[in-house]
Amino acid sequence: MIVSLRAWNIGRSPFPNDDEGTYLAQAWAVGHGVGLAHYTYWYDHPPFGWIQLSWLAWLPAWLAPDQPTFVQGRIAMLPVAAAGALLVHLVARRVGLGRPAALGAMLLYGLSPLAVTLNRQIYLDNFAVVWALAAFALALSPRRHLWHHVASGACLAAAVLSKETIVVVLPALLYALWHGSHPRTRTFSFAGFASGLTLTGMFYPLYAILKGELFPGAGHVSLIGSLGFQLGSRAGTGSMFQPGTEAHTLLNEWLAADPVLILGGSAAALAALTVRRLRPIALAALILAAVAARPGGYLPKMYVIQLLPFLAIALAGIVQAAVRALPGGRVPRIAAAVTVLATATALLGPVWYQGDRDAVRTNDTTVYYDAARWLRAGHIADPAHTRIVTDGVLWLDAVNAGFKPGTGVIWHYKLDQDPAIEKTLPHGWRDIDYVVSTPALRGERKNLPTVRALLDHSKPVATFGEGDGRIDILRTDNTKAVR
């Protein structure tokens, strides 16, 4: 049911995010032996997330070649969503939840409209949270085998190499490992965990060392230089508690999608600190929430993906703890559990029904379907010798339409930010033939001079949709004829 809900209408909702196209194009580059990215890899994120995507994306691309590439990529995310739901159940069991409560945690996570929407999309956080949950499951394994603890460290490393921000759950995972290990062998457990974490995690800096790109220097990208940008130079989104900031707007979007899991789960995480077996989950949730709430930091839309499974387990765990604390024996507890279930259904039902109903009925992506179809239909003569600028979502569709990857079809961000691309454009915008003007591309008009010049010196030859969400195919003055 959980996977079916994510699969239903997956290509039509939500509206594509440019990051989805970026990760899908990077997965394409890995799968085709181009490198770790379709342009110069500058260590913006560790690459394991889209490496995994490259392992999964070939099947939907083969089964549904006529679908836009972002739809193919979203279909590839369904096994990841299934793994996440199963791991929520497993971790819930290993922190002491009974079968009904563990199933409740999985349903809280699986049916949340916010999770349904974000799990559909091609985000690195979806990979990272699966590996993080696996790390907790192994650290809390009742068998307490040393290899479980070594594997737990390796899984956390895999999570960090999928999306680096998940590293903040390390203190909570160490706490779980403390309680999941035997006192007599705890030293070996921590040593094994550290070895798994270090040996797996070292592949990333080792790659940078072998490439001569660990430290900043003239004429090349660097791992440490990119970390400095991500940690210190990137523009913040403000405080989520201050109206008018990007972070506050984002928080309101999350609350509108699922106020129950965000607010109820956060309250449950605080309460779960008083329940020993739930503390690792509570700590993970509260640490992730504290990072999101820090003033002046950068808060991306998909960050909440990392938080949702821990909130779901904490909420189900606190409900179970409250029911079990009731006096009077088995019958009153069963009656209380039924009452809680009925009340939750009455409260959650209308909110979640509307959110999930929108997810399976809304059609937000027609313009991308139409633009992808137009690119593949052969309207542009000789695409192999034509230059076109697109956003990240349509980049791979243009490649599939016959445009040369990298310099024939150009991701709009690279026009003014990649010296390798700038060298191929000695005359600036005049070296471009077409522009696929999407909301994401137009949104960078103020920041990218070449994008601004292209929009000022081109005319539409095809338009899909209307208003701010439309997509225009624009032709510059020097363009070849349209067939």
Side-chain angles (χ1 to χ4, degrees):
M1 178 175 65
I2 291 172
V3 176
S4 298
L5 186 58
R6 282 153 175 73
W8 191 358
N9 203 42
I10 194 170
R12 295 294 183 177
S13 177
F15 193 78
N17 185 297
D18 205 57
D19 285 347
E20 293 187 83
T22 301
Y23 303 140
L24 191 58
Q26 289 171 320
W28 171 89
V30 171
H32 285 75
V34 174
L36 290 181
H38 51 319
Y39 290 96
T40 302
Y41 174 55
W42 64 283
Y43 301 92
D44 52 333
H45 296 295
F48 189 49
W50 60 82
I51 290 174
Q52 295 169 82
L53 180 59
S54 72
W55 299 340
L56 299 171
W58 68 270
L59 184 57
W62 179 64
L63 292 174
D66 295 332
Q67 292 291 317
T69 54
F70 81 89
V71 179
Q72 298 169 3
R74 287 184 177 182
I75 294 172
M77 297 303 295
L78 293 176
V80 182
L86 291 172
L87 283 165
V88 165
H89 184 275
L90 179 59
V91 173
R93 292 287 288 153
R94 291 190 171 176
V95 294
L97 273 65
R99 287 187 178 87
L103 178 61
M106 186 171 68
L107 291 176
L108 282 169
Y109 175 64
L111 301 182
S112 163
L114 187 55
V116 168
T117 299
L118 293 174
N119 289 166
R120 286 177 169 183
Q121 294 182 270
I122 309 166
Y123 289 140
L124 304 180
D125 305 72
N126 285 314
F127 293 101
V129 79
V130 166
W131 287 107
L133 289 169
F136 275 89
L138 288 162
L140 294 165
S141 172
R143 297 185 179 183
R144 297 180 172 180
H145 290 319
L146 178 60
W147 79 263
H148 288 169
H149 301 151
V150 175
S152 178
C155 283
L156 181 63
V160 174
L161 293 178
S162 298
K163 187 63 178 289
E164 66 281 1
T165 51
I166 199 75
V167 72
V168 298
V169 303
L170 176 59
L173 184 56
L174 291 175
Y175 186 84
L177 183 62
W178 178 271
H179 286 283
S181 57
H182 194 282
R184 291 183 179 180
T185 57
R186 187 165 285 149
T187 300
F188 294 100
S189 294
F190 274 84
F193 176 89
S195 65
L197 176 64
T198 303
L199 292 176
T200 305
M202 281 300 295
F203 280 104
Y204 190 40
L206 179 61
Y207 172 83
I209 291 171
L210 294 175
K211 294 275 290 183
E213 295 173 345
L214 180 62
F215 298 103
H220 68 81
V221 296
S222 73
L223 172 57
I224 292 178
S226 295
L227 285 175
F229 167 78
Q230 296 283 12
L231 296 175
S233 302
R234 194 165 192 172
T237 52
S239 169
M240 64 168 56
F241 305 112
Q242 182 179 350
T245 64
E246 293 180 44
H248 184 265
T249 301
L250 188 55
L251 175 62
N252 286 335
E253 290 178 6
W254 293 344
L255 291 173
D258 189 356
V260 177
L261 195 53
I262 296 294
L263 297 178
S266 298
L270 285 170
L273 290 175
T274 64
V275 182
R276 185 182 67 83
R277 296 196 67 175
L278 291 176
R279 281 176 194 156
I281 300 305
L283 283 172
L286 294 174
I287 291 170
L288 287 165
V291 171
R294 72 195 192 282
Y298 175 71
L299 183 63
K301 176 181 180 180
M302 67 291 294
Y303 178 83
V304 75
I305 291 172
Q306 302 177 27
L307 186 58
L308 293 177
F310 298 104
L311 295 180
I313 296 171
L315 184 53
I318 281 299
V319 170
Q320 174 183 279
V323 170
R324 287 182 174 179
L326 291 174
R330 181 181 178 84
V331 174
R333 290 173 184 171
I334 292 176
V338 171
T339 302
V340 169
L341 180 61
T343 303
T345 302
L347 294 175
L348 291 177
V351 177
W352 280 10
Y353 173 78
Q354 184 60 48
D356 289 336
R357 183 176 180 272
D358 290 344
V360 300
R361 291 195 176 187
T362 303
N363 186 349
D364 293 326
T365 63
T366 298
V367 292
Y368 272 98
Y369 273 81
D370 292 342
R373 192 178 299 116
W374 192 93
L375 288 171
R376 297 184 186 191
H379 293 288
I380 297 178
D382 193 17
H385 298 92
T386 301
R387 282 187 163 178
I388 187 170
V389 173
T390 74
D391 67 0
V393 176
L394 287 168
W395 186 90
L396 194 50
D397 290 284
V399 170
N400 292 338
F403 294 89
K404 183 179 179 181
T407 55
V409 51
I410 303 174
W411 181 27
H412 69 286
Y413 278 118
K414 296 297 178 178
L415 286 173
D416 297 293
Q417 297 184 345
D418 191 334
I421 295 301
E422 291 184 71
K423 290 178 181 178
T424 69
L425 303 172
H427 305 102
W429 70 267
R430 293 176 179 82
D431 291 319
I432 304 298
D433 301 314
Y434 286 89
V435 182
V436 183
S437 174
T438 67
L441 185 145
R442 292 191 294 273
E444 294 297 326
R445 182 178 188 135
K446 294 181 179 180
N447 303 321
L448 302 176
T450 305
V451 169
R452 183 166 60 250
L454 281 169
L455 294 176
D456 290 340
H457 296 89
S458 55
K459 297 179 181 179
V461 296
T463 296
F464 311 106
E466 57 186 11
D468 293 338
R470 75 186 186 282
I471 293 180
D472 299 316
I473 310 294
L474 306 176
R475 181 176 60 192
T476 59
D477 295 339
N478 60 341
T479 294
K480 305 169 182 64
V482 176
R483 300 194 291 196

